[in-house]
Amino acid sequence: MFFNLFEERIPANRCVLCARPEADALCAHCRRELERCCALSGPLCRCALPAPGLQPGELCGRCLRQPPGFRAGYCDWAYRFPLDRLINAYKHQGQLPVERALETLATGAPLPWPEADLLCPLPAHWRRRWVRGFDQAERLAAALARHWRRPLVPLLRRRRATPPQQGHGRAWRVRSLRHAFQALPASRGRRVLLVDDVITTGASLRAASHALYEAGAEEVRVWALARTLEGSHR
């Protein structure tokens, strides 16, 4: 049985999912359960959604109608139970011990784009960072930068606060995020791997990619820890 992440604090030296004594944040049993329930397999479209039978370079039907602004999307995990509980406990409940488990999942695969010059986190607005006490994408990107030996360069700034995106459809998200990001001049000529924790509709990453390309980035690709699957947007 999984530990109740929303009603209790995670004790030290325990598995963050089942609370068994464990030094590595995730016990072997829960790691296997995560892989069974949440690991993505098979080809991914540019939008990072699974697309069985898709050939390299091909797009799914949705992306054929409106291609993402970024060149490729990489993701190894589906945003569903129990991984969604871990991510929400970390972001919204301040359960910082969960960070070690998420970093373990994030760094379990090699750098998907060896040509990347740098990693850039998708920034939270300063008000949201102040409320949470940290920026989860920034911390995740820092762990990946250390593991993949790529510089971490915060090329993006939030021009304005945007309403919480959760619970809204893609069209609303696109409108609310228009001109929300500004990229620094240092973006020019750089191959940027943009890092976020969860892709829902991809609207934030599209807007951020657009800002990077406007500033002269050579190429932008995105990496996320987890991907919300179609039909499960919240």
Side-chain angles (χ1 to χ4, degrees):
M1 179 178 294
F2 290 126
F3 192 57
N4 192 329
L5 291 165
F6 289 95
E7 294 184 2
E8 301 180 64
R9 306 300 295 181
I10 298 170
N13 300 318
R14 299 272 179 165
C15 172
V16 296
L17 278 174
C18 70
R20 291 189 182 98
E22 176 60 51
D24 294 328
L26 278 172
C27 70
H29 170 76
C30 288
R31 176 61 188 253
R32 287 193 298 270
E33 281 298 298
L34 273 173
E35 290 174 351
R36 182 181 67 82
C37 298
C38 302
L40 293 176
S41 60
L44 300 182
C45 179
R46 187 187 300 181
C47 62
L49 281 174
L54 202 70
Q55 298 301 312
E58 293 182 344
L59 298 178
C60 66
R62 174 181 291 180
C63 289
L64 283 172
R65 293 190 296 273
Q66 190 168 11
F70 43 88
R71 181 66 183 83
Y74 306 105
C75 190
D76 292 322
W77 303 92
Y79 183 72
R80 59 188 175 200
F81 184 83
L83 181 56
D84 58 351
R85 295 294 184 92
L86 281 178
I87 292 173
N88 277 290
Y90 176 53
K91 288 170 63 172
H92 304 303
Q93 301 294 319
Q95 297 263 25
L96 293 181
V98 173
E99 186 173 67
R100 290 189 300 124
L102 298 182
E103 286 185 3
T104 297
L105 298 179
T107 58
L111 176 65
W113 184 29
E115 294 77 19
D117 294 320
L118 58 92
L119 274 60
C120 172
L122 186 76
H125 189 265
W126 69 265
R127 290 194 188 94
R128 189 164 298 170
R129 185 194 301 240
W130 180 75
V131 169
R132 288 181 181 164
F134 63 97
D135 183 329
Q136 74 281 353
E138 184 179 88
R139 292 174 69 93
L140 188 59
L144 290 168
R146 291 191 298 270
H147 182 70
W148 288 337
R149 301 190 179 197
R150 287 294 185 279
L152 178 68
V153 184
L155 293 172
L156 290 164
R157 299 286 183 270
R158 284 263 185 178
R159 279 177 161 167
R160 56 184 175 80
T162 53
Q165 305 295 297
Q166 202 167 31
H168 294 281
R170 183 181 164 280
W172 184 93
R173 291 172 184 243
V174 170
R175 289 194 302 272
S176 73
L177 287 160
R178 192 169 290 131
H179 308 304
F181 297 97
Q182 180 180 19
L184 300 182
S187 307
R188 181 168 298 280
R190 313 301 291 275
R191 293 168 292 191
V192 181
L193 186 60
L194 189 56
V195 174
D196 201 7
D197 59 336
V198 180
I199 302 176
T200 303
T201 65
S204 296
L205 291 165
R206 286 172 182 255
S209 298
H210 180 72
L212 287 165
Y213 278 123
E214 279 196 328
E218 179 179 327
E219 188 171 346
V220 180
R221 303 189 183 196
V222 304
W223 179 98
L225 175 63
R227 181 59 158 102
T228 301
L229 302 183
E230 288 187 299
S232 59
H233 294 172
R234 297 190 296 166

